[in-house]
């Protein structure tokens, strides 16, 4: 698991190659990633939006942004965690993702970015 801390918000990520959802003959490799977001601040925060940079070793990188995560904009009080699972497909066996979330302090309405640490996407068939 990869972990990072920005502005009092801890992000932990783990990824998994999904052979059962991939189609190697058609160069489609699917990965799930599980993210745990934990508020370590003394104030409540709300996740507003996300940005992803997705690197695919044999293809152009993709950038994705939008509101919330998997359709949600969770509010996190001190010590609360939000866990979600999502997915990504690549056209090669090797890549990575990195990005950030935009959060809002609920007491001051100030917005800030929280880095999502870079995590690898490796199809097991490339590993020895």
């Amino acid at each position: 698991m990869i972990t990072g801390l920005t502005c009092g918000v801890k992000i932990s990520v783990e990824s998994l190659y999904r052979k059962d959802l991939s189609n190697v003959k058609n160069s489609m490799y699917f990965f799930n990633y599980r993210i745990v977001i934990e508020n370590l601040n003394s104030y409540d925060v709300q996740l507003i939006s996300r940005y992803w940079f997705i690197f695919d070793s044999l293809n152009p990188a993709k950038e994705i942004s939008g509101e919330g995560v998997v359709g949600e904009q969770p509010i996190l009080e001190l010590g609360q965690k939000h866990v979600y699972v999502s997915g990504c497909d690549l056209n090669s066996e090797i890549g990575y993702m990195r990005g950030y979330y935009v959060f809002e302090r609920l007491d001051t309405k100030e917005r800030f970015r929280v880095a999502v640490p870079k995590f690898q996407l490796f199809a097991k068939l490339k590993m020895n």
Side-chain angles (χ1 to χ4, degrees):
M1 184 173 282
I2 305 295
T3 300
L5 180 66
T6 309
C7 299
V9 178
K10 182 178 172 183
I11 306 293
S12 301
V13 187
E14 59 185 343
S15 62
L16 172 69
Y17 171 61
R18 295 290 306 269
K19 182 178 179 181
D20 60 321
L21 298 177
S22 298
N23 186 331
V24 176
K25 289 181 183 177
N26 291 328
S27 296
M28 199 282 288
Y29 303 86
F30 193 83
F31 301 85
N32 278 129
Y33 53 90
R34 178 180 178 266
I35 298 190
V36 179
I37 303 167
E38 184 176 5
N39 182 17
L40 302 177
N41 292 294
S42 60
Y43 47 82
D44 299 348
V45 297
Q46 182 174 17
L47 192 152
I48 303 298
S49 62
R50 73 192 180 295
Y51 164 82
W52 289 115
F53 177 86
I54 304 168
F55 175 78
D56 188 338
S57 65
L58 298 176
N59 294 285
K62 298 181 225 175
E63 294 182 77
I64 298 171
S65 60
E67 289 187 0
V69 290
V70 293
E72 299 179 1
Q73 293 181 309
I75 293 173
L76 298 163
E77 298 173 1
L78 168 64
Q80 263 191 321
K81 293 180 182 179
H82 178 76
V83 180
Y84 75 95
V85 175
S86 192
C88 170
D89 62 285
L90 299 180
N91 295 117
S92 70
E93 305 94 329
I94 300 170
Y96 68 81
M97 289 178 65
R98 62 175 163 78
Y100 62 82
Y101 299 123
V102 174
F103 279 86
E104 181 175 281
R105 283 183 64 148
L106 294 185
D107 57 350
T108 65
K109 302 301 181 196
E110 173 190 355
R111 290 193 175 186
F112 59 97
R113 285 186 183 183
V114 171
V116 176
K118 178 173 137 179
F119 57 98
Q120 304 297 322
L121 303 170
F122 287 120
K124 296 289 186 199
L125 53 101
K126 281 291 191 187
M127 308 297 275
N128 288 334

